[in-house]
């Protein structure tokens, strides 16, 4: 099993443990902030499973009926989860507003507080683990996950403050912190949709990525120019298409080697996993070369 998959499984297992701990703490205390943290952790679990399953589904053998496999399934599911997350965040905000007068039914419990602190400690250890792995594996996706985990640690700390506040005269603090956590959940939902809609609809990648891949092709000694090139999303992967301008006297074998070299370099240089590379050789003398190069 690839190390990145092991890290993903560790994240899923740890998040599941946190959900069980928070679920017990919420059952004991009926706390607004613990409820918010519980829902946030459930969202984290769903998204972690989506990432892991999408990574595995994208490697399933393609079939004639599904020539691209199931690589579009991950962003579709992620977007659906994003809608659910927005609904969850909205519900918690509404619930917090209903209890803003400080008359919530939260019951302080030392055991619930210990459970909340325990889940915070697990989240902190998970953040440190994923951050270290992201640096060792040079993984941008794991680094992004570590940033989310860091933010979760901060919301956990805020929830501890909110939960403890119920034993003071400032009981308004708990619903306010719950609303803040819910806003973070709401933002996560919008972010999920924003990140995955381009993958579903096949948007072009940004110009920096396109120009970088074009320069990779032009770095080949036998490639004199590039035109009619496009790089767009297919699921969470990308398709690359370009016409390579080459000498007209080049043999078929030489042309084939150029295509192989360019394709290999593109895969090494891309910031995204590449689904397909379509290269077309345009020899000079056929008036197909363009000024775009």
């Amino acid at each position: 099993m690839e190390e990145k998959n092991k890290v993903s499984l560790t994240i899923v297992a740890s998040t599941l443990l946190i959900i069980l701990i928070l679920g017990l703490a919420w059952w004991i205390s009926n706390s607004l902030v613990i409820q918010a943290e519980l829902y946030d952790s459930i969202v984290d679990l769903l998204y972690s499973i989506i990432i892991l399953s999408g990574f595995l589904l994208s490697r399933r053998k393609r079939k004639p009926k599904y020539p691209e496999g199931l690589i579009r399934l991950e962003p579709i599911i992620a977007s659906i989860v994003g809608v659910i997350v927005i609904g969850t965040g909205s519900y918690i905000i509404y619930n917090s507003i209903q209890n803003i007068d400080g008359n919530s039914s939260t019951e302080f419990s030392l055991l619930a507080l210990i459970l909340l602190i325990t889940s915070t400690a697990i989240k902190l250890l998970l953040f440190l683990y994923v951050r270290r792995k992201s640096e060792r594996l040079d993984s941008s996706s794991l680094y992004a996950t570590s940033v989310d985990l860091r933010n979760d640690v901060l919301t956990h700390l805020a929830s501890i403050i909110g939960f403890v506040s119920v034993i003071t005269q400032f009981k308004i603090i708990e619903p306010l912190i719950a609303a803040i956590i819910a806003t973070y959940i709401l933002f996560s939902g919008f972010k999920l949709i924003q990140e995955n809609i381009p993958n579903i609809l096949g948007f072009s990648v940004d110009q920096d990525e396109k120009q970088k891949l074009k320069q990779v092709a032009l770095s080949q000694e036998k490639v004199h120019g590039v035109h009619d090139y496009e790089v767009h999303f297919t699921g969470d992967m990308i398709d690359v298409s370009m016409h390579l301008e080459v000498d007209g006297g080049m043999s078929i074998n030489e042309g084939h080697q150029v295509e192989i070299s360019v394709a290999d370099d593109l895969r090494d240089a891309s910031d995204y996993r590449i689904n397909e590379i379509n290269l077309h050789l345009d020899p000079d003398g056929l008036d197909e070369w363009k000024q775009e190069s």
Side-chain angles (χ1 to χ4, degrees):
M1 180 183 294
E2 293 184 18
E3 188 166 5
K4 190 174 181 181
N5 282 358
K6 292 180 181 178
V7 176
S8 297
L9 287 174
T10 301
I11 294 172
V12 169
S14 300
T15 305
L16 182 58
L17 177 60
I18 290 171
I19 288 173
L20 293 174
I21 293 173
L22 290 174
L24 179 58
W26 183 39
W27 180 71
I28 294 172
S29 65
N30 198 34
S31 167
L32 291 173
V33 289
I34 294 179
Q35 179 194 46
E37 285 295 345
L38 174 61
Y39 287 177
D40 185 39
S41 295
I42 292 174
V43 169
D44 289 341
L45 178 64
L46 289 174
Y47 194 50
S48 297
I49 292 174
I50 288 171
I51 292 174
L52 180 60
S53 60
F55 184 76
L56 297 175
L57 285 172
S58 66
R59 281 155 177 73
R60 288 187 61 179
K61 185 176 180 181
R62 301 179 182 186
K63 298 180 180 180
K65 191 174 181 180
Y66 304 101
E68 291 183 341
L70 300 173
I71 58 178
R72 292 183 187 270
L73 187 59
E74 178 187 348
I76 291 174
I77 295 176
S79 296
I80 294 173
V81 170
V83 174
I84 296 173
V85 170
I86 291 172
T88 301
S90 300
Y91 166 75
I92 298 174
I93 291 176
Y94 171 78
N95 200 26
S96 299
I97 293 174
Q98 293 294 102
N99 292 276
I100 205 70
D101 56 3
N103 293 321
S104 72
S105 57
T106 299
E107 296 180 9
F108 181 80
S109 164
L110 182 59
L111 176 57
L113 177 60
I114 292 173
L115 290 171
L116 183 56
I117 293 173
T118 301
S119 70
T120 305
I122 295 173
K123 186 73 77 170
L124 176 61
L125 292 174
L126 186 60
F127 157 67
L128 295 173
Y129 167 75
V130 174
R131 175 59 62 89
R132 187 175 71 252
K133 288 295 184 180
S134 70
E135 293 172 351
R136 197 173 78 79
L137 298 175
D138 192 24
S139 170
S140 58
S141 61
L142 285 181
Y143 177 80
T145 301
S146 74
V147 172
D148 287 336
L149 288 170
R150 179 199 63 195
N151 294 338
D152 288 343
V153 171
L154 295 176
T155 61
H156 264 66
L157 292 173
S159 68
I160 292 174
I161 296 173
F163 184 59
V164 172
S165 71
V166 300
I167 63 175
T168 72
Q169 59 179 329
F170 303 106
K171 294 184 178 181
I172 192 176
I173 294 177
E174 187 195 26
L176 284 176
I177 290 180
I180 292 172
I181 296 172
T183 302
Y184 172 70
I185 295 174
L186 203 65
F187 173 78
S188 299
F190 283 114
K191 184 179 178 183
L192 266 176
I193 295 174
Q194 182 184 34
E195 289 178 348
N196 285 281
I197 287 298
N199 296 351
I200 297 172
L201 300 180
F203 283 16
S204 292
V205 300
D206 59 78
Q207 287 299 317
D208 289 341
E209 179 73 5
K210 288 183 67 174
Q211 288 301 316
K212 181 180 73 174
L213 295 182
K214 176 183 177 181
Q215 292 304 316
V216 167
L218 288 172
S219 67
Q220 288 283 331
E221 182 180 355
K222 295 182 179 180
V223 176
H224 303 294
V226 174
H227 65 266
D228 292 345
Y229 66 98
E230 182 54 67
V231 186
H232 64 268
F233 287 104
T234 303
D236 66 337
M237 304 173 75
I238 62 172
D239 285 352
V240 182
S241 175
M242 60 178 66
H243 288 223
L244 307 177
E245 299 170 359
V246 297
D247 293 332
M250 182 179 293
S251 69
I252 294 178
N253 285 338
E254 287 176 321
H256 182 62
Q257 288 304 315
V258 169
E259 289 180 330
I260 292 175
S261 296
V262 171
D264 288 343
D265 288 348
L266 290 173
R267 293 186 189 279
D268 290 338
S270 177
D271 290 336
Y272 304 93
R273 289 186 295 130
I274 294 182
N275 175 46
E276 288 186 355
I277 298 177
N278 297 304
L279 302 176
H280 177 79
L281 299 183
D282 283 336
D284 62 347
L286 300 179
D287 295 327
E288 293 183 354
W289 287 20
K290 300 183 179 180
Q291 295 299 320
E292 183 180 339
S293 307

